[in-house]
Amino acid sequence: MIDIVKTKTCGIKECKVTLTDNGGIKREFILRAFRSGDEDGIIQCVREEHGDTYFKRFFYDSKALCEKAAGDEYIFFVAACHEETSDPKGIKDKIAGIEILRIFDKNGDDYIEPASQIIRKAYRGMGLSGALADYTFKVAKDLRPEALLSHVAMYHSHTQRVCEKNGMEPVAFEIGSFLTKALKNSYHLQDVSKYSAGTLCLPVEKRDAGNVYLPLELRDYCGMIYEALDVKFCLADSSPVFDEEELPERSVFEISYDNDINRYVTINTLLCGKNLYDEVSKITEEHIRGDANPDSFVYLLILDIDTPAFPKRYEAFKSMGFFFGGLFPLCGTHERAFLYKVGDLELRMETYCVTDKFDKVREWIMKYYKARTRGQI
């Protein structure tokens, strides 16, 4: 179980690293947790890479940023270097890079997400990204969550490689999570309407996924993923009949809407009731009725797969236009899967920049995506 209060109370040890830049000059960096006074340097770091377009809006407000840093959901980290400045106080820390850890410990979740790593352009090419990731991953693992989970960009493969170097394995795609016209960064963007993120996982405390109940067309993929994660699992017999009448009347969801920036709706199913299909239909139809361009919306549905009910639910949601987008494994009480509804959105996943490991996952997910209109893999 993650103990964020203890971590912040006891403090996080800083780490000094010496790296060599492209000119052969050695530079010393201090990797450490956020301190009061870092906020302006963090904002400058974000603005340099993303302008005013970054979707985590608290990165543009020093007060909001400090409040997040003081709370129990995030731990902020910086890579700082000492530089002579015109500041009256003389030498001060300059923020060369940032990263955060986001804590998920509610509703059965027990995982940490390393995220939002940004290295300033002047400090790239010397291994600072990898050094900062090594440092934050160690902090995250010392908190003893069930797992680490990261969502990484698909318009470059650098972060994918850094995560894989730290033991993470690709498990899924976060389909269509970024509206391309809302992105501004230093990377080349393809002519696609929406970009996906890639999802990687690293088991920490949870080493046994238990029984998972899967339809035939998902068994090979999920077996491949669990084997890559090097954890115990059992592809259980999916033939038992599940009595829907035993379910409670109403389903319970945790729903997040990103309507303004990325046009993305996440439907996290906390409890399946008899009205499951009607409620999910209602959520998706709200946008179709109320938006001039509904096909730019993507709907992510998260469902438990450690129940005999999943194969039947999977077929039902396939008939509603959803397709399988990968596993959400080892991150809490239940084993889960990502299902997506994208309408007529053309993903063009073949244009993504991916590592060899992610390429294998992409091949599988593209099959499910393309088969969504045919009804079979």
Side-chain angles (χ1 to χ4, degrees), residues 248-300:
E249 290 296 323
R250 301 188 64 80
S251 302
V252 178
F253 304 101
E254 182 181 55
I255 305 173
S256 62
Y257 298 90
D258 183 354
N259 292 353
D260 298 328
I261 300 177
N262 290 312
R263 305 172 72 81
Y264 196 80
V265 181
T266 302
I267 310 166
N268 185 14
T269 310
L270 304 179
L271 177 67
C272 291
K274 295 177 183 177
N275 67 342
L276 174 65
Y277 309 115
D278 290 341
E279 284 300 303
V280 172
S281 293
K282 187 186 300 182
I283 292 166
T284 58
E285 288 170 4
E286 283 177 1
H287 288 84
I288 292 174
R289 287 197 304 268
D291 197 275
N293 187 21
D295 286 336
S296 64
F297 269 99
V298 170
Y299 305 91
L300 163 59

Side-chain angles (χ1 to χ4, degrees), residues 42-60:
I42 291 175
I43 292 171
Q44 290 170 16
C45 186
V46 173
R47 284 193 187 282
E48 181 183 77
E49 179 62 19
H50 293 286
D52 293 321
T53 67
Y54 197 48
F55 69 101
K56 291 173 180 163
R57 303 307 295 171
F58 59 79
F59 273 115
Y60 296 103

Side-chain angles (χ1 to χ4, degrees), residues 173 358-368:
F173 277 92
F358 251 119
D359 190 35
K360 293 179 182 179
V361 172
R362 175 174 60 178
E363 287 180 7
W364 277 95
I365 302 307
M366 285 180 67
K367 289 179 183 178
Y368 298 121

Side-chain angles (χ1 to χ4, degrees), residues 28-249:
E28 185 177 89
F29 298 91
I30 300 172
L31 313 180
R32 58 170 175 78
F34 172 89
R35 296 175 186 164
S36 178
D38 288 339
E39 51 271 25
D40 287 345
I42 291 175
I43 292 171
Q44 290 170 16
C45 186
V46 173
R47 284 193 187 282
E48 181 183 77
E49 179 62 19
H50 293 286
D52 293 321
T53 67
Y54 197 48
F55 69 101
K56 291 173 180 163
R57 303 307 295 171
F58 59 79
F59 273 115
Y60 296 103
D61 184 316
S62 58
K63 181 180 178 182
L65 197 156
C66 290
E67 289 174 350
K68 291 287 187 182
D72 60 3
E73 186 178 355
Y74 295 91
I75 308 176
F76 288 71
F77 297 90
V78 301
C81 59
H82 287 302
E83 292 197 352
E84 294 286 351
T85 71
S86 58
D87 188 277
K89 297 179 182 178
I91 298 174
K92 70 173 185 178
D93 281 351
K94 180 171 183 179
I95 305 303
I98 64 171
E99 189 174 331
I100 64 174
L101 297 179
R102 187 176 181 185
I103 314 299
F104 291 84
D105 59 358
K106 298 176 178 62
N107 297 320
D109 285 338
D110 188 355
Y111 69 98
I112 295 176
E113 179 190 359
S116 300
Q117 189 192 88
I118 303 172
I119 305 297
R120 296 203 68 163
K121 294 175 184 178
Y123 303 99
R124 295 179 184 177
M126 62 180 79
L128 182 56
S129 172
L132 183 56
D134 292 347
Y135 173 67
T136 56
F137 271 62
K138 183 181 184 306
V139 173
K141 287 187 282 188
D142 286 347
L143 286 169
R144 300 180 63 185
E146 298 284 37
L148 306 186
L149 194 81
S150 281
H151 303 292
V152 298
M154 290 286 109
Y155 42 79
H156 68 86
S157 60
H158 175 73
T159 311
Q160 300 166 42
R161 294 195 301 271
V162 169
C163 288
E164 289 176 10
K165 179 177 174 291
N166 277 278
M168 301 194 91
E169 292 288 338
V171 296
F173 277 92
E174 198 177 41
I175 298 290
S177 51
F178 295 106
L179 194 64
T180 305
K181 68 180 182 181
L183 292 172
K184 180 181 181 298
N185 55 53
S186 57
Y187 298 95
H188 174 70
L189 300 177
Q190 298 288 340
D191 184 21
V192 294
S193 59
K194 299 199 83 175
Y195 262 99
S196 303
T199 302
L200 303 99
C201 179
L202 173 65
V204 181
E205 292 294 300
K206 188 172 182 179
R207 309 294 310 187
D208 188 344
N211 291 342
V212 289
Y213 299 84
L214 302 165
L216 183 62
E217 67 188 43
L218 303 186
R219 291 171 76 88
D220 286 348
Y221 174 84
C222 295
M224 176 186 76
I225 296 299
Y226 280 121
E227 287 175 2
L229 291 168
D230 194 25
V231 296
K232 295 179 181 178
F233 68 99
C234 177
L235 298 178
D237 182 5
S238 59
S239 61
V241 177
F242 185 81
D243 188 0
E244 297 282 352
E245 292 303 314
E246 296 179 1
L247 295 174
E249 290 296 323

